[in-house]
Amino acid sequence: MVRVRIAPSPTGSPHIGTAWQALFDFVFAKKNNGKFILRLEDTDRERYVPESVEQIYETLRWLGLEYNEGPDVGGEFGPYIQSERLDIYKKHANDLLEKGLAYKDEGALRFKIEKAGQTTWHDLVGDKDITFENQTQEDFIILKSDGYPTYNFANVVDDYLMRITHVIRGNEFISSTPKHLMIYQAFGWTPPQFAHLPVLVGSDRSKLSKRHGAKSALEFRSEGFLKESVLNFLSLLGWSHPEGKEVFSIEEMIKLFDFKDVNIASAYFDITKLEWLNGEYIRKMTNEDLTKRLQEFLASHPAKEKIAPVVPLVKERIKKLSDFVPLTDFLFEKPEYDKAQFEKLNIKNVKESLEKILEKLEAMERPWKTEVFEKTFRELAEELGLSASQMFQLIRVAVSGQTVTPPLFESIEILGEEETLKRVAYLIALW
Ligand code: GLU
């Protein structure tokens, strides 16, 4: 039975890199009909941030990376929070002390390194042996004077007791792995298999950080990214679809996943790719689905019940759910006009042109029809010595207060004839 775990330390809202590791755990567990476990490694009390516990649950839930065992769902190998397992570590540390494999110094308990020989494991990523000379390792602390274990010790004891079969984690832990293997050996336990995922790097090839657009996973949600595109994007970090596909579901990844397709080379985190993917997913959605997603996302938007007719107009134009708001706000509330928007149009007599526009709109037979609208304002443009695009831009800014909107006539249809007339009249009065 495959059992894998994600073991984040609750030191802040989980980084997108934690979600990335969790995805690989989840996929590997599903692929093998195994179990995915969440364990909180909260033994570093100075860095402990209580709110981050909920944020870890929330991140995994949002992405649909449901765990079979964990602090808030239970399981037969709990507790799944390390600070609730202190007795277990103490007992195991004492076992090593009694066997003479650990010793006390200045208040802490240290593991004694057997300096002769080498420590080797076969890493699933890259399908290769990794070897460390034991003499490069120093005796290390396993139990601190405050009674808390160190990461190295608690991690091994828990992976063993929780029957973890595969440890899938970031590359930065490679240097800890020989220590872990030495602890397994000291206890006479069979170690799990290890898979160290490649390093994530940003656009300048340096280690991924905030300035590359890599934020906490939940920030991606609040910025309007869809969980489907985030998962798809994360799956492409370090793994490639055997047919080279770029857009695919997590179910497809589960079907195809094999560690042999995980690259050892650094994975390049390209935020523009995520934006592109998100736009692809938005366009693939039905209007009904997208409306629902937008309504969830715009939970506190005053007009969220009225957005359905607007959705088809913006579907091609938004990359993130959050793009919906600036693009469509004018449909739900009066715009704030800014003369600078009109200056950009390079029209000499804005006020007179607006007056003519208002006249034509008032005279146009109701309900307004797109062909009549087009023809009327092309003619008016000619009459006023404007290009057609200047004319339509002027109408656009007059009804919306902005230069970029969904298609003009459709927007006006949604806005309604009365509201459109009101806005143009108001603007003239304001001028
Ligand atoms: N607590 C470690 C972390 O924060 C776990 C590393 C591991 O998976 O062994 O990433």
Side-chain angles (χ1 to χ4, degrees):
M1 163 72 108
V2 164
R3 290 176 57 85
V4 293
R5 63 12 176 219
I6 180 89
S9 300
T11 53
S13 189
H15 188 257
I16 191 72
T18 305
W20 173 65
Q21 283 176 39
L23 168 69
F24 280 78
D25 278 305
F26 179 84
V27 164
F28 187 70
K30 287 280 171 217
K31 166 101 211 172
N32 294 288
N33 292 317
K35 298 267 190 260
F36 172 45
I37 291 125
L38 169 66
R39 178 174 76 231
L40 296 182
E41 301 207 326
D42 61 343
T43 56
D44 186 343
R45 302 313 287 175
E46 272 162 37
R47 295 178 58 221
Y48 179 63
V49 177
E51 311 81 82
S52 61
V53 171
E54 267 307 318
Q55 289 165 339
I56 290 168
Y57 303 157
E58 183 63 17
T59 298
L60 297 174
R61 229 178 280 135
W62 169 51
L63 292 171
L65 303 175
E66 304 281 345
Y67 35 95
N68 306 98
E69 297 169 28
D72 56 337
V73 300
E76 53 179 312
F77 300 95
Y80 295 91
I81 299 185
Q82 288 189 329
S83 58
E84 295 172 12
R85 301 171 61 82
L86 299 185
D87 288 347
I88 298 173
Y89 310 125
K90 217 167 279 170
K91 174 190 164 297
H92 283 87
N94 275 328
D95 287 353
L96 293 184
L97 190 66
E98 275 164 25
K99 285 193 203 155
L101 299 169
Y103 61 92
K104 270 204 176 94
D105 88 338
E106 299 167 9
L109 208 61
R110 269 180 205 274
F111 185 81
K112 200 153 70 192
I113 300 282
E114 181 53 67
K115 294 273 183 183
Q118 298 174 324
T119 297
T120 299
W121 75 93
H122 189 81
D123 210 283
L124 293 171
V125 174
D127 188 21
K128 61 180 187 315
D129 283 348
I130 300 181
T131 299
F132 278 78
E133 296 295 331
N134 291 351
Q135 60 182 2
T136 60
Q137 305 294 317
E138 297 293 339
D139 294 358
F140 59 92
I141 296 178
I142 55 175
L143 209 61
K144 295 178 276 185
S145 52
D146 61 4
Y148 278 87
T150 55
Y151 153 70
N152 285 323
F153 190 63
N155 187 270
V156 168
V157 169
D158 286 347
D159 281 344
Y160 174 73
L161 294 177
M162 295 180 184
R163 315 236 175 121
I164 300 304
T165 57
H166 297 76
V167 167
I168 304 169
R169 63 181 166 204
N171 210 283
E172 66 272 29
F173 292 100
I174 280 197
S175 60
S176 310
T177 306
K179 295 187 185 65
H180 298 176
L181 287 166
M182 289 172 178
I183 300 172
Y184 281 103
Q185 199 184 17
F187 282 115
W189 296 338
T190 309
Q193 285 194 265
F194 291 93
H196 288 93
L197 298 174
V199 181
L200 294 185
V201 296
S203 44
D204 55 2
R205 304 272 153 193
S206 68
K207 192 174 179 316
L208 190 63
S209 71
K210 266 200 158 190
R211 78 197 146 84
H212 301 114
K215 297 157 278 240
S216 84
L218 293 175
E219 277 175 274
F220 284 93
R221 177 174 70 173
S222 56
E223 287 183 10
F225 288 99
L226 302 168
K227 68 163 198 229
E228 291 87 346
S229 55
V230 171
L231 288 173
N232 191 156
F233 172 71
L234 294 178
S235 67
L236 289 168
L237 293 177
W239 182 73
S240 19
H241 188 290
E243 289 159 29
K245 268 208 221 170
E246 297 256 89
V247 185
F248 50 84
S249 64
I250 184 167
E251 288 76 23
E252 191 166 345
M253 182 183 183
I254 292 168
K255 229 180 277 155
L256 297 168
F257 185 79
D258 190 320
F259 272 112
K260 79 173 172 20
D261 299 313
V262 176
N263 301 312
I264 33 172
S266 305
Y268 172 47
F269 187 97
D270 178 4
I271 188 81
T272 56
K273 182 157 181 176
L274 173 58
E275 284 168 0
W276 168 76
L277 266 173
N278 209 59
E280 292 291 303
Y281 275 87
I282 285 179
R283 275 184 286 287
K284 274 206 311 199
M285 256 188 243
T286 63
N287 292 334
E288 293 69 40
D289 282 347
L290 182 54
T291 304
K292 235 195 282 145
R293 291 297 192 96
L294 280 163
Q295 284 170 335
E296 282 162 19
F297 180 75
L298 302 169
S300 55
H301 193 289
K304 77 169 201 266
E305 297 310 325
K306 298 191 218 152
I307 65 170
V310 184
V311 169
L313 302 188
V314 298
K315 200 170 164 182
E316 299 293 323
R317 290 158 195 251
I318 59 174
K319 283 192 176 149
K320 294 183 275 179
L321 298 179
S322 52
D323 296 337
F324 181 83
V325 176
L327 207 56
T328 62
D329 247 3
F330 76 96
L331 292 170
F332 307 109
E333 55 185 285
K334 269 211 167 42
E336 297 274 344
Y337 291 105
D338 172 0
K339 277 205 176 166
Q341 300 281 40
F342 293 90
E343 277 156 22
K344 281 192 221 156
L345 305 178
N346 230 343
I347 297 174
K348 274 205 207 85
N349 304 312
V350 173
K351 188 172 180 181
E352 270 168 42
S353 308
L354 288 170
E355 283 165 349
K356 292 273 189 211
I357 289 169
L358 185 59
E359 256 172 50
K360 294 282 181 198
L361 285 173
E362 277 168 341
M364 213 156 57
E365 195 190 323
R366 316 269 185 112
W368 294 344
K369 292 207 176 62
T370 175
E371 312 79 48
V372 180
F373 179 86
E374 285 264 343
K375 186 163 173 285
T376 306
F377 290 104
R378 277 183 194 280
E379 281 170 10
L380 182 62
E382 234 180 85
E383 198 182 299
L384 298 179
L386 302 176
S387 70
S389 85
Q390 275 176 312
M391 172 55 70
F392 291 115
Q393 267 311 82
L394 178 57
I395 302 174
R396 186 188 306 280
V397 182
V399 300
S400 71
Q402 57 199 48
T403 51
V404 182
T405 68
L408 180 58
F409 190 73
E410 280 98 325
S411 301
I412 287 179
E413 269 185 318
I414 288 175
L415 211 53
E417 288 150 359
E418 290 317 312
E419 180 62 21
T420 305
L421 291 170
K422 242 194 250 167
R423 287 190 185 185
V424 180
Y426 170 79
L427 184 60
I428 292 169
L430 202 71
W431 208 269

